[in-house]
Amino acid sequence: MAQVEEVRGLAPRILDLLKDVEELELEDVEMELGDLELILQPPALTLPPAKPEVRLKPERIIEERFTPPRMEYPGKIVEVKIGSTKSEGGTRSRSIVIGGERNPPFYIFEAPPPNPPSISIDVFDMRIPLAKPVKEHVEDVLDDPAAWAKRAVDKWEADMVNLHLVSVDPLLKDTPPREAAKTVEEVLQAVDVPIAVGGCGDPEKDLKVFEKVAEASQGERILINSVTLDMDVGKMADIVNKYGHTVIAFTPMDMDKARELNRKLYSYLPKDVIVIDTTTAALGYGLEYAFTIMERVRLAALMGDEELQHPISSGTTNAWAAREAWMKMDPRWGAREFRGPIWETITALTLLLAGVDYFMMMHPAAVKTVKTAIRDLISNRRGDEPSLMRWVSTRF
Amino acid sequence: MGLNQILGRRSPLAKRSLSPTEVYKFLPRTNCRECGEDNCMAFATKLVNREATLDKCPPLREKGREASWRALWELLKPPVKEVTVSSRRASVKIGGKLVMYRHELTYHNPTAIAIDVWDEMPEEELLKRVREVGELSYEYIGRSLKLDLIAVRSTSNDMGRFGEAVKMVRENTELPLILCSLDPNVMEAGLVAYGDGKPLIYAATRDNWKDMAELAVMYKCPLAVSSPGDLDGLKSLARTLTEHGVEDLVLDPGTTWDGSLSGTINNFTMLRRAATKVGDELLGFPLLAVPATVWVSEGELPEVKAWREACLASMLMVRYADLLIMHSLEGWAILPVLILRENIYTDPRKPVAVESGLRTFGSPNEESPVLVTTNFALTYYTVAADVESSGVDCYLLVADTEGLSVESAVAGRKLTADKIAEALKDSKVEEKVKHRKLIIPGRASRLSGEVEELTGWTVLVGPLDSSEIPKFLREKWGSKPP
């Protein structure tokens, strides 16, 4: 079966390369005469006489070793602890620690992550437009954030609850800060997991709301979501500090802005109360920007960029903004009851591999899949290798 | 000097650090402009940025320049080899990766997706499935997302049967094929039946490597190498097959899901790092993942398997798989995978923008509506599709927001009342319509007062989501301006 054209014989290449080499020393080579099969090919008559081509065909497998390409990283992500137990002055049954990584996400061949990423489920303090596949699971608790939170924890095993005080928006209900703080207290009583509390995005109103909320939940070490560059950062940081909470620093898809906000916060806060959110865009609607910024942030942090060494949060629920997630489409693309939740799931799994430590999610099936994936990714279990080839000849 | 160096087993590292000067010194330096650039230095810069290829320089192929051509080839070749799988009419390139992370440059050759059929399928079912794979298509930002290959598996292990199935698939699709059998005799029957083209042979293993290598050389086909969960074995096989003379390999480190996802993801990650960062040429080949393995497990609902397969495919696409073999054709499972591929493979160096200016839909007249949107490709194509589906003749004014969506552009002051006023003036649309009514996106509603002041036009605030445009135009516009 010798091929006349283009034989990758070693001999001519070696000769070519040895033109300027005086001495040749062979390393890492073992040869047994039996391993070599020499095939000499007569040169074709029409061509000028060439060097005889030599083809060495291995008789048996040439054993090589694979060395895991491990690296060292000068940087480390800070650990942020959310939620306080009774002994710590709070009422949570446990705290949750996120961050602490010393290497890229799930490079288990170097080291497993010290803390698995956590998943929180979104709860809203008023009725908002929700996609049908999400709504059907919470229809009966839409007006009761405490009951909604309880379901998220008891039924869907959320690590945390993420309460969004949407109603405080001056353009919506303009709920007063005191009343919003009451809702937070109700949720704290309904569940014993750590909680995060979000505002409405109005920088002035949110500040007033967070002040009351922080005071009402003093000692619980909640995660305040979020502080932004267009807020009075100093004032916000003082609130976080005074009542002993943690905070998400939110910036719009820009590494420099993420650094800038962190720099501002460092004047008031210790590093280990800050989580960063560099914005999540939906699969199909800018996910690649979200993914690459998170990946770059995490790698830069590990390589020593001290302004980015924080756990990363993702508003994964944004996946539902993609029309493919909620719209009725041609039957070819299946029911949205599947399409919606898998949209959220794949958005989350993609960002999980970029370095996200804290997910805010919505659909129970998505939450369950991502939890399973996290468990599997940190387990370091190996597959059942012998059965792996069965797919080739199995009728599905 | 070790043998490895002599054989050139180390590819040049850190492709990005390659400077145009290094490339320039091997170019003809005649500034002949045959490549379309003004001079050789400009061409060198293009080469380094992977925006041009060597074949654009004809003088390089002249007699006496062979050494320069070879040197350039070595300098520029990707650490992950590009392998072509082809049918008589179509070809798919896999691998050819220059970097590990997309922000280091960009990813080339989007992960190819193959869907399986098997040789014991009833003829009608087989043909229907082959047709379905070929026809599947989704319009996304002005592109058609499609599947790339068909993987024909031999479940019969029967030479005749496999040959027939391959022939039937070949006659009914233009897509390139992957032939799957671990039995070299069955594989050869498939290759003979296939005839012209270069299907991917799946697979050489520790047990059959020699026969498979002979087939790959004889039929000039790329060869997949499978060594599930054993990277020592994978590397040993890559070395052995390379020495044997097989040049185009595709590496399959095994795909698992059942609680051992970490092993799979780690293997893919280590392999890609070894190729791109360490420069291990034995591992510098495209990587193959088989999410279809989830279908081997028994007793679960098909929906559960399709769901799991899509998740696995997505994670492996993010973690360096260059080729996927999949089974499910469920639309809801395949669509997110196709879109994720498009996202990950978008060139991060290019702002995703379309040209700004005035677009017409249908045959608008002086009574037709004028709508505003941004030049972010995703926004534009989504809006354009919705405007088209409304069937209303109209003008669409595309403002230059530097490729940002409406929401981001309003927040980042890239879409302002000034910008809209300027775009309106430049478009000369006021000479085309008699009315002075402008429809702006719902997410830009806060600009309406200021736009009215600056332009003298009346602003109508459109819907938040452009899917509501048809309804909006029907109710608010009808046959003439409100």
Side-chain angles (χ1 to χ4, degrees):
Chain A
M1 277 210 342
Q3 296 295 304
V4 180
E5 78 324 288
E6 285 217 306
V7 179
R8 265 178 59 137
L10 297 177
R13 290 176 63 203
I14 292 178
L15 290 174
D16 204 31
L17 286 156
L18 293 184
K19 277 201 299 252
D20 339 318
V21 181
E22 310 249 342
E23 253 185 56
L24 168 64
E25 176 190 332
L26 293 183
E27 289 174 12
D28 310 322
V29 182
E30 285 183 29
M31 275 197 211
E32 289 177 39
L33 280 180
D35 286 350
L36 302 179
E37 179 186 348
L38 298 186
I39 299 174
L40 300 179
Q41 298 186 328
L45 293 175
T46 49
L47 292 172
K51 283 176 282 193
E53 294 274 11
V54 179
R55 158 71 68 82
L56 313 159
K57 278 194 182 173
E59 277 300 310
R60 62 182 69 108
I61 294 182
I62 306 163
E63 296 297 343
E64 291 269 349
R65 303 281 311 163
F66 175 80
T67 315
R70 297 190 178 95
M71 275 177 58
E72 297 288 317
Y73 310 88
K76 175 180 185 265
I77 310 305
V78 295
E79 287 188 328
V80 176
K81 188 170 124 178
I82 308 159
S84 294
T85 58
K86 277 204 179 63
S87 62
E88 297 162 325
T91 58
R92 308 295 88 199
S93 65
R94 58 170 291 220
S95 313
I96 284 181
V97 178
I98 55 174
E101 294 91 343
R102 295 181 157 278
N103 64 341
F106 305 106
Y107 285 36
I108 309 282
F109 60 92
E110 290 171 331
N115 306 294
S118 285
I119 298 180
S120 72
I121 290 184
D122 284 334
V123 169
F124 299 88
D125 73 337
M126 66 175 277
R127 284 181 176 251
I128 58 152
L130 288 174
K132 199 167 150 272
V134 173
K135 203 170 169 174
E136 62 188 11
H137 294 281
V138 289
E139 197 95 58
D140 55 325
V141 290
L142 286 175
D143 299 310
D144 187 349
W148 190 341
K150 207 168 157 39
R151 178 167 307 170
V153 176
D154 296 348
K155 199 170 167 190
W156 302 322
E157 298 176 357
D159 301 316
M160 283 180 55
V161 166
N162 205 55
L163 173 65
H164 295 273
L165 301 168
V166 186
S167 76
V168 304
D169 192 332
L171 300 173
L172 294 167
K173 288 190 180 174
D174 205 11
T175 304
R178 248 174 232 298
E179 209 176 306
K182 242 210 293 297
T183 309
V184 174
E185 284 173 345
E186 282 164 17
V187 170
L188 281 167
Q189 273 158 25
V191 298
D192 62 1
V193 297
I195 71 163
V197 178
C200 67
D202 177 317
E204 280 158 31
K205 178 72 190 274
D206 279 354
L207 199 58
K208 292 176 192 144
V209 171
F210 287 143
E211 180 153 30
K212 283 281 170 269
V213 166
E215 188 185 0
S217 54
Q218 183 163 12
E220 295 286 7
R221 206 173 169 83
I222 64 170
L223 178 62
I224 294 174
N225 178 19
S226 55
V227 58
T228 56
L229 278 166
D230 58 9
M231 284 171 108
D232 183 335
V233 174
K235 222 170 165 174
M236 183 71 212
D238 285 339
I239 293 169
V240 174
N241 232 352
K242 184 174 169 190
Y243 300 107
H245 297 302
T246 58
V247 70
I248 293 178
F250 176 85
T251 45
M253 295 255 191
D254 184 327
M255 276 173 92
D256 290 332
K257 288 206 166 89
R259 289 191 186 99
E260 184 191 340
L261 180 53
N262 288 346
R263 262 199 306 276
K264 284 187 171 175
L265 289 168
Y266 296 160
S267 329
Y268 311 91
L269 293 173
K271 260 178 112 165
D272 68 359
V273 301
I274 303 167
V275 177
I276 55 178
D277 182 341
T278 53
T279 308
T280 291
L283 169 62
Y285 292 80
L287 178 63
E288 67 272 34
Y289 300 104
F291 170 81
T292 283
I293 286 188
M294 287 172 184
E295 186 165 71
R296 289 178 66 192
V297 160
R298 179 50 48 92
L299 292 172
L302 292 170
M303 293 323 285
D305 187 326
E306 293 187 353
E307 290 167 344
L308 296 172
Q309 292 167 340
H310 296 272
I312 301 172
S313 158
S314 158
T316 317
T317 302
N318 290 351
W320 291 90
R323 324 172 146 190
E324 288 84 354
W326 55 264
M327 226 156 89
K328 271 209 168 105
M329 293 169 75
D330 182 297
R332 170 76 201 81
W333 305 111
R336 53 183 174 171
E337 281 65 25
F338 286 111
R339 235 189 303 115
I342 205 166
W343 221 260
E344 184 183 354
T345 304
I346 288 177
T347 301
L349 292 174
T350 301
L351 299 178
L352 179 70
L353 295 173
V356 167
D357 299 273
Y358 178 73
F359 291 92
M360 303 177 223
M361 297 181 70
M362 201 137 74
H363 196 283
V367 169
K368 194 176 169 185
T369 309
V370 177
K371 278 185 89 106
T372 306
I374 290 170
R375 207 181 46 232
D376 288 354
L377 280 171
I378 59 177
S379 73
N380 206 11
R381 249 188 61 197
R382 295 175 63 94
D384 171 25
E385 273 101 35
S387 72
L388 281 185
M389 296 308 284
R390 272 176 40 215
W391 71 270
V392 179
S393 55
T394 306
R395 289 187 296 273
F396 299 152
Chain B
M1 184 189 264
L3 186 70
N4 275 344
Q5 282 137 300
I6 294 178
L7 297 179
R9 282 224 182 281
R10 296 269 172 265
S11 56
L13 280 190
K15 295 284 162 180
R16 275 197 85 184
S17 63
L18 189 64
S19 80
T21 333
E22 280 173 274
V23 169
Y24 177 74
K25 63 179 188 226
F26 292 108
L27 290 174
R29 285 175 285 181
T30 52
N31 301 338
C32 72
R33 298 192 176 190
E34 280 190 67
C35 61
E37 300 303 318
D38 282 348
N39 51 54
C40 290
M41 197 62 189
F43 183 59
T45 308
K46 277 258 160 87
L47 284 172
V48 168
N49 291 334
R50 316 288 156 173
E51 287 158 346
T53 47
L54 285 178
D55 55 0
K56 291 271 184 294
C57 175
L60 261 185
R61 304 316 302 264
E62 288 163 9
K63 246 185 131 45
R65 292 201 207 272
E66 293 85 353
S68 297
W69 194 89
R70 255 203 314 275
L72 282 166
W73 179 256
E74 280 298 322
L75 267 181
L76 293 162
K77 78 173 179 196
V80 175
K81 189 172 181 183
E82 184 176 88
V83 169
T84 304
V85 185
S86 59
S87 67
R88 278 170 303 179
R89 291 192 205 82
S91 68
V92 176
K93 292 189 169 111
I94 53 175
K97 299 291 193 290
L98 289 150
V99 290
M100 180 156 184
Y101 303 110
R102 71 188 278 274
H103 61 260
E104 294 176 292
L105 188 66
T106 181
Y107 283 159
H108 293 77
N109 301 333
T111 307
I113 301 173
I115 299 288
D116 79 321
V117 295
W118 53 97
D119 61 4
E120 285 171 301
M121 274 180 136
E123 185 175 332
E124 224 160 284
E125 209 178 304
L126 178 85
L127 292 179
K128 181 169 167 281
R129 195 163 159 85
V130 167
R131 211 172 28 247
E132 214 179 325
V133 175
E135 284 168 359
L136 187 137
S137 174
Y138 186 72
E139 292 304 308
Y140 173 80
I141 335 187
R143 283 193 294 272
S144 305
L145 311 188
K146 293 174 160 307
L147 298 163
D148 310 282
L149 309 105
I150 292 181
V152 188
R153 302 188 291 120
S154 180
T155 53
S156 69
N157 274 324
D158 178 276
M159 292 162 63
R161 200 131 191 194
F162 190 55
E164 271 167 47
V166 169
K167 206 163 158 189
M168 193 176 303
V169 174
R170 189 202 67 176
E171 281 163 4
N172 287 283
T173 185
E174 290 190 359
L175 299 179
L177 305 191
I178 305 176
L179 307 185
C180 309
S181 170
L182 302 182
D183 179 333
N185 294 319
V186 173
M187 182 57 68
E188 182 150 32
L191 288 164
V192 169
Y194 190 73
D196 290 349
K198 293 187 181 202
L200 173 64
I201 299 175
Y202 185 96
T205 63
R206 267 194 174 278
D207 303 325
N208 68 13
W209 64 271
K210 199 180 268 187
D211 291 335
M212 288 293 186
E214 296 286 351
L215 290 174
V217 169
M218 188 151 71
Y219 292 90
K220 302 193 190 67
C221 289
L223 176 62
V225 186
S226 183
S227 175
D230 169 20
L231 296 189
D232 286 343
L234 195 65
K235 188 170 173 175
S236 305
L237 280 168
R239 167 85 195 269
T240 311
L241 292 162
T242 302
E243 303 273 325
H244 189 99
V246 186
E247 295 187 11
D248 288 340
L249 299 177
V250 175
L251 308 180
D252 169 22
T255 306
T256 55
W257 170 266
D258 55 335
S260 55
L261 179 64
S262 122
T264 298
I265 294 282
N266 267 267
N267 287 343
F268 275 82
T269 307
M270 287 193 287
L271 286 170
R272 189 45 44 98
R273 185 186 262 183
T276 54
K277 305 285 185 199
V278 184
D280 189 333
E281 286 203 12
L282 283 178
L283 303 172
F285 291 104
L287 301 178
L288 161 65
V290 189
T293 44
V294 308
W295 291 86
V296 172
S297 69
E298 281 158 23
E300 277 171 315
L301 289 169
E303 288 81 9
V304 173
K305 290 182 188 173
W307 176 283
R308 191 176 291 165
E309 183 182 27
C311 292
L312 191 52
S314 303
M315 294 178 89
L316 285 162
M317 201 146 59
V318 172
R319 283 289 165 96
Y320 319 117
D322 302 295
L323 173 61
L324 300 171
I325 296 179
M326 299 183 69
H327 172 70
S328 177
L329 276 174
E330 284 289 347
W332 57 263
I334 218 92
L335 186 60
V337 176
L338 287 173
I339 290 185
L340 178 62
R341 170 173 71 176
E342 210 59 25
N343 288 177
I344 297 289
Y345 280 85
T346 300
D347 189 339
R349 296 173 295 179
K350 291 196 184 94
V352 194
V354 298
E355 209 154 322
S356 52
L358 190 70
R359 305 282 204 293
T360 56
F361 290 81
S363 329
N365 58 31
E366 53 199 19
E367 304 267 285
S368 300
V370 181
L371 300 92
V372 176
T373 190
T374 77
N375 77 332
F376 177 42
L378 205 58
T379 307
Y380 171 75
Y381 284 110
T382 311
V383 171
D386 291 326
V387 169
E388 256 168 34
S389 76
S390 75
V392 179
D393 301 322
C394 61
Y395 293 102
L396 180 61
L397 187 56
V398 182
D400 180 1
T401 57
E402 297 168 39
L404 288 177
S405 68
V406 176
E407 204 162 7
S408 310
V410 172
R413 314 274 308 143
K414 302 288 183 204
L415 184 66
T416 57
D418 285 329
K419 267 252 164 84
I420 292 176
E422 195 184 333
L424 196 65
K425 194 162 152 279
D426 292 347
S427 73
K428 300 199 168 47
V429 73
E430 51 195 12
E431 298 165 18
K432 300 180 199 290
V433 295
K434 279 207 302 212
H435 65 83
R436 292 290 177 263
K437 300 257 185 333
L438 187 64
I439 303 170
I440 67 168
R443 291 183 198 280
S445 59
R446 70 169 80 159
L447 305 176
S448 52
E450 220 180 324
V451 172
E452 290 191 334
E453 274 168 46
L454 284 172
T455 62
W457 286 50
T458 308
V459 167
L460 305 177
V461 176
L464 287 172
D465 190 282
S466 66
S467 58
E468 302 283 317
I469 285 177
K471 185 163 159 261
F472 179 89
L473 291 177
R474 233 184 1 257
E475 291 172 2
K476 293 264 161 43
W477 203 274
S479 56
K480 56 183 196 303

